[in-house]
Amino acid sequence: MNQAFLTSAARPLLVLHAVLGFAAVATATHLAVYAVLGARRPAVFGRRLAMFGLLNAVVALAQGTLGALLYPAFRLQVRLAYLDAAAPDAVRLFEFKEHAAALAMVMALVLAVVVRTGPQRLPRVALPALTIAVALITWSVALAGTWVTAIKAIGGGP
Amino acid sequence: MRGDRLFAALVALSVFALVHAVVAPTGLPGLLYHPALHRWSFGPPGPGLMAYYGEIAWAVLGAVLAGLGATLATRARPAGPRLLAAVAAVASAAVVVDLVVLVASTARLS
């Protein structure tokens, strides 16, 4: 079988992918907390909100891009070679994770624009609701990715 | 090009989520990647082919076009509070719809 793109570097890139994933969890959670606090006291938390909006977008973009680049190696080395037959539930979980990660990445980019262009123009509940949603999605993606990796990882041998 | 970037961002998110909710479960033709052959093609999804990149590309294309359209539409005057509240509600609802469709469609995978 031919090797997929990036297979030879899969293990270090997977570790980097995990590190970025947990950084995305941290920044998305901070963003949600500051959005909730900032809804009541925007003058106090506005700068932190803008900073975590930008950080979350940068981390989510890096994380999503790296995940997309590693996906072909996962598809051949893990899904086709092992999970399809041995753990179909893990395949479903992974497919959910990949698509949810794309949604979280776009939400993070949009929220970075929102927090810098006047969230006070929106109804008070809008920004907390959207940031809590992106934090929950990011947590789900990280947990699903960790779960699947615990079953079988790229670069993990036979 | 100066428009209402807040409004445009929320419109783009709404369209991304709605297109994403429609494209993946309906199996529309799109960009496909053959991971073993390192080759790209265009068509309906099939066994052994990766449709993921194409599905995301459709949604991103829709979001970019919608965002540009919203920016152009608000060049003369920024969106008012009612319109912003409406588009924020639509964006939130679109995210929920996308997640529900995503959970339902991945549960059906064989």
Side-chain angles (χ1 to χ4, degrees), chain A residues 68 71-72 75 79 95 98-99 102, chain B residues 20 23-35 39-59 109:
Chain A
Y71 193 14
R75 187 71 175 234
R79 180 175 164 176
E95 290 302 314
E98 283 298 278
H99 284 277
Chain B
H20 187 232
V23 168
T26 53
L28 288 175
L31 200 60
L32 300 169
Y33 183 64
H34 308 241
R39 197 185 299 157
W40 294 88
S41 63
F42 188 91
L49 304 175
M50 291 176 58
Y52 174 75
Y53 299 125
E55 290 163 359
I56 300 303
W58 277 128
L109 279 178

Side-chain angles (χ1 to χ4, degrees), chain B:
Chain B
M1 183 164 60
R2 294 191 67 83
D4 190 333
R5 285 187 291 165
L6 178 63
F7 177 69
L10 290 170
V11 168
L13 174 59
S14 307
V15 172
F16 177 90
L18 292 174
V19 173
H20 187 232
V22 170
V23 168
T26 53
L28 288 175
L31 200 60
L32 300 169
Y33 183 64
H34 308 241
L37 304 173
H38 308 278
R39 197 185 299 157
W40 294 88
S41 63
F42 188 91
L49 304 175
M50 291 176 58
Y52 174 75
Y53 299 125
E55 290 163 359
I56 300 303
W58 277 128
V60 168
L61 180 66
V64 168
L65 291 176
L68 284 174
T71 305
L72 284 173
T74 52
R75 259 192 321 177
R77 197 175 59 174
R82 278 188 181 182
L83 186 56
L84 279 174
V87 78
V90 169
S92 304
V95 168
V96 171
V97 167
D98 192 14
L99 285 172
V100 169
V101 170
L102 188 52
V103 169
S105 61
T106 48
R108 280 200 307 270
L109 279 178
S110 57

